[in-house]
Structure formats: C-alpha cells, structure tokens
C-alpha cells in the first residue's frame, strides 16, 4: 500500500531501513535493539494518543472532523478500515496492517474494526474537541 487515495486520505506502508532513515519522511529502522519508527517529523501536533482495538469489540471512529487532521501509525495487528469523503461521495475500504501510516484530513469519515488485536499511535493537528467529532456510521 502506498497511495494518496483522495486529497483527504493518504495510506502508505512505512519502508524499513537498516542503518539510517533517509530524508525527513517516514521510515522504520530495524536493529538488534528493536524498531524505531518515524511517522511524523517537522509538523506541529496538538494531540497524541495510543489506542487499541479488539476483535468482536465495537467499531472505533464512525465520525469525521471539520478541523482536525489525524496521522495514525499501526503498531501491530489488522484493522478493517472504511473511509467516506463527504464532498465527493467517494468511499474507500481497505485492511490496515502493522507498518501502515494513514493521514485523514477534515471532512473524511473514518471507521475501524479490529480483525486481530491491534495497537495504534495517533497524532493530530488540533487538540481533541467533542464539538469537532461528528458521528457518521460506516461500519
């Protein structure tokens, strides 16, 4: 996976490197000590969170934001993901796996359902605000 699906969604598998992560984009450095993953660099973020998702549990997301852009990195597991662009009517469904990086821009509905126990870290451009979380059921 390595694509900008719409102007509001970017999904990519973070490349693995042995010695150094080139440039200033995302990358995963594997060493005997473990992995170092750079999934955000140079931007200002006002929100950071870790979340997990369990199979058989309720869906996460099923909402959109008018202001906030979210960047999430899948640490482990698999998620069924569904996205819907409120402006174009375009829907995109995929399976996210460990190593995937997703950027979700405003006015893109996003929903996640665990296919296996999954761990995610997320940063966002704006602080969390209930008034910027608008319910919209996709999954």
């Amino acid at each position: 996976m390595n694509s900008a699906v719409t102007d509001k969604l970017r999904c990519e598998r973070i490349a693995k490197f042995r010695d150094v992560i080139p440039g200033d984009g995302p990358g995963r450095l594997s060493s005997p000590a473990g992995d170092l993953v750079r999934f955000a660099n140079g931007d200002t973020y006002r929100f950071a969170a870790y979340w997990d998702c369990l199979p058989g549990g309720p869906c996460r997301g099923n909402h959109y934001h008018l202001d906030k852009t979210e960047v999430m990195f899948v640490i482990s597991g698999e998620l069924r993901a569904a996205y819907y662009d409120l402006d174009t009517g375009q829907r995109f469904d995929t399976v996210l796996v460990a190593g995937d990086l997703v950027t979700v821009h405003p006015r893109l509905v996003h929903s996640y359902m665990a296919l296996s126990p999954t761990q995610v870290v997320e940063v966002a451009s704006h602080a969390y605000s209930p008034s910027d979380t608008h319910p919209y059921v996709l999954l």
Side-chain angles (χ1 to χ4, degrees):
M1 171 192 312
N2 202 9
S3 64
V5 178
T6 74
D7 62 341
K8 293 186 184 126
L9 175 66
R10 179 171 180 78
C11 298
E12 61 185 301
R13 180 97 9 98
I14 294 183
K16 289 186 177 183
F17 301 95
R18 287 184 148 286
D19 299 318
V20 68
I21 300 170
D24 55 358
R28 188 178 212 169
L29 184 62
S30 295
S31 77
D35 280 0
L36 177 138
V37 178
R38 182 174 66 204
F39 63 91
N41 189 31
D43 292 319
T44 301
Y45 296 102
R46 308 231 15 239
F47 173 86
Y50 161 88
W51 51 271
D52 60 14
C53 204
L54 300 173
C59 182
R60 286 204 178 263
N62 270 335
H63 63 251
Y64 64 94
H65 308 283
L66 294 178
D67 298 318
K68 184 165 83 166
T69 295
E70 300 173 335
V71 178
M72 59 179 266
F73 173 71
V74 180
I75 299 168
S76 65
E78 290 183 306
L79 292 171
R80 178 177 169 216
Y83 303 96
Y84 178 74
D85 187 322
L86 293 170
D87 297 315
T88 67
Q90 183 180 7
R91 181 174 170 142
F92 178 71
D93 293 84
T94 191
V95 173
L96 302 174
V97 299
D100 284 348
L101 181 66
V102 178
T103 303
V104 176
H105 291 278
R107 297 188 54 76
L108 185 71
V109 180
H110 44 285
S111 299
Y112 306 102
M113 184 73 72
L115 299 175
S116 68
T118 303
Q119 298 176 307
V120 174
V121 64
E122 175 185 320
V123 295
S125 61
H126 291 68
Y128 171 75
S129 170
S131 66
D132 188 39
T133 302
H134 305 278
Y136 192 113
V137 176
L138 279 181
L139 293 177

